[in-house]
Amino acid sequence: MDVLKIKGGKPLSGQIRASGAKNAMTKLLVASLLSDKKCTFFNVPNIGDVEITVNLCKEIGSEIKWDKKEKILEIYTPELKTSYVPQKYSGSNRIPILMIGALLGRTDEDIIVPTIGGDLIGSRPVDLHIHALHKLGARIEYREMKKEGAYFAQAHQGLKGTIISLHYPSVGATENTILAAVRAKGTTLIKNAAIEPEIIDLILFLQKLGAKIMIDVDRTICIQQASQLNEVEHTVLPDRNEVASYAMAAISTKGKVWIEGAEHHNMIAFLNKLRDIGGGFQVRKNGIEFFYEKSLRGGVHLETDVHPGFMTDWQQPFVVLMTQAVGASVIHETVYENRFGYTHTLKAMGADIELFTQCLGGKTCRFASSDHHHSIVVKGPTPLKATDITIPDLRAGFAYVMAALIANETSTISNVDFVDRGYEELVAKLSSLGADITRVTAPKKGEPKTVLQNTSV
Ligand code: UD1
């Protein structure tokens, strides 16, 4: 496995371009399976999760041409070769479960998907997906297989529009329900739906495909059956997680980074928090510049939430940022019950962080009576010491990269595959901003080591 070597202490400075959003592109590929028409995507990020989804679609029968240099991907699925998602995709990411919603209206065969993976940040159940698809008329069973379990789904009687109320606005469950509803007879209402920008991007794609979808002010999404499906051209929205990550890396290293393509309207909650702590930013015509202006102010209270709140994926790099701010800040994670595991390594690097099972701050969340550490108090500023780090999940991975960029000596970071899942050309982008970062590719038996550094962006 590859490792990153980062010698910190240098301010990031320069410009990069925001890549296409991981959390949109992977779903768009699955959505394209609804139809037998060609779909062309632009601004496609070359990241691990897209690669996995591309391979998954190929297994199902998709013909795919991906020009990685031009970031253009064409997908065409004239017919399904199989509706069995092989077990090797079990645990790979969150995408296989969405295959059920996309394929139910397309095949009479059983759709078989293995248990899903993704970051280990909570129990991550799929009850809301199953409940919604059941209501639309699907039959879904979980069965034990040779090695592990799989979901068997079918809708032999067809899918029928209905009213579905989600007891929590889950992103994945909303997407799965929308995908199934596009082929369901009549009208489907999803109440308490998630309305993340990546879901709006999916809706834009589906509208071009032929669906009629309305979004009401009260988190209700109304989907009418698509009568005709069309070829689609679609440009993937910029990745707001990547933008926020580089923004925080720039400010925490006392640097200045211009991010071309960063979209203001999807970053409102983030920019408000940045303003609270004294982080500099300027929104321009084609992007946003982020810069260190003055010493960062702690003493803030932050609660992660569903959109339009402060996104849970911004939480880990934000905690690293707060280790550099003056004063104590309270951070309450309300989306995932177990998303502070990564703080142990930050503490070993010198951060002053205390974990709590209580809901700190004003609001009580779903995890109030659990014994999960889902609130923290972080006190700063503290210098961070370089160390050897193993990445446990994607966003924690970037947080560790950020911590290593702040620390003065050289840190060695392993399990880099996690960051590859969601950050396009991480080493190239950071190198272009002046970071002292090297990727060492672990040699296969008998091969010499490969070192990548300062690759062009
Ligand atoms: C997506 C994003 C992830 C982001 C998250 C919240 C992708 C690939 N991942 O994940 O980056 O952090 O949205 O913005 O797009 N839940 C249930 N039952 C369910 C489904 C979810 O209880 O059936 C719970 C989860 O355990 C979690 C919460 O709902 O506590 C949020 O999950 P969800 O919104 O579904 O996130 P994902 O779609 O998995």
Side-chain angles (χ1 to χ4, degrees), residues 404-420:
L405 289 167
I406 295 168
N408 266 326
E409 294 304 319
T410 301
S411 300
T412 303
I413 305 181
S414 54
N415 267 0
V416 184
D417 295 17
F418 276 115
V419 268
D420 291 341

Side-chain angles (χ1 to χ4, degrees), residues 189-255:
L189 284 184
I190 312 175
K191 292 181 172 285
N192 199 29
I195 49 165
E196 266 59 8
E198 295 77 17
I199 294 180
I200 307 302
D201 204 47
L202 176 68
I203 291 174
L204 294 176
F205 166 82
L206 293 171
Q207 185 172 51
K208 296 180 208 173
L209 191 78
K212 191 169 167 197
I213 304 179
M214 287 144 290
I215 308 163
D216 224 326
V217 284
D218 62 348
R219 289 190 174 276
T220 299
I221 298 181
C222 172
I223 307 113
Q224 286 177 10
Q225 181 181 23
S227 50
Q228 184 197 318
L229 300 178
N230 311 306
E231 285 198 0
V232 177
E233 289 190 355
H234 187 79
T235 302
V236 184
L237 89 164
D239 196 316
R240 63 193 170 116
N241 286 325
E242 189 200 32
V243 170
S245 301
Y246 281 96
M248 292 187 264
I251 294 168
S252 62
T253 57
K254 304 192 171 161

Side-chain angles (χ1 to χ4, degrees), residues 44 58 71 110 207 312 338 347 372 396 404 431:
V44 177
K58 283 184 180 164
K71 303 185 185 298
D110 273 0
Q207 185 172 51
T312 168
N338 193 16
K347 283 166 79 166
H372 292 291
S431 296

Side-chain angles (χ1 to χ4, degrees), residues 23 27 94 124-128 170-172 313 335-336 366:
N23 288 355
K27 326 297 175 60
R94 307 283 298 157
R124 304 192 81 173
V126 290
D127 55 315
L128 294 169
S170 148
V171 170
D313 295 23
V335 180
Y336 292 107
R366 294 175 297 151

Side-chain angles (χ1 to χ4, degrees), residues 22-24 26-27 49 93-95 116 119 121-130 167-175 194 196 198 240-241 305-307 311-313 334-337 339 366-367 394-395 421:
K22 165 181 101 64
N23 288 355
T26 42
K27 326 297 175 60
D49 266 15
N93 62 17
R94 307 283 298 157
I95 301 306
I116 56 175
D119 291 330
I121 50 183
S123 59
R124 304 192 81 173
V126 290
D127 55 315
L128 294 169
H129 298 242
I130 307 292
H167 66 70
Y168 184 80
S170 148
V171 170
T174 301
E175 291 164 337
E196 266 59 8
E198 295 77 17
R240 63 193 170 116
N241 286 325
D305 211 340
V306 295
H307 190 75
M311 195 186 182
T312 168
D313 295 23
T334 77
V335 180
Y336 292 107
E337 67 272 35
R339 212 169 192 180
R366 294 175 297 151
F367 314 126
L394 172 62
R395 304 296 165 199
R421 278 183 42 209

Side-chain angles (χ1 to χ4, degrees), residues 329-361:
S329 297
V330 169
I331 300 181
H332 178 200
E333 170 62 56
T334 77
V335 180
Y336 292 107
E337 67 272 35
N338 193 16
R339 212 169 192 180
F340 281 125
Y342 71 94
T343 55
H344 296 296
T345 300
L346 291 183
K347 283 166 79 166
M349 291 176 83
D352 184 344
I353 298 175
E354 233 183 302
L355 288 92
F356 296 85
T357 54
Q358 296 91 337
C359 300
L360 297 187

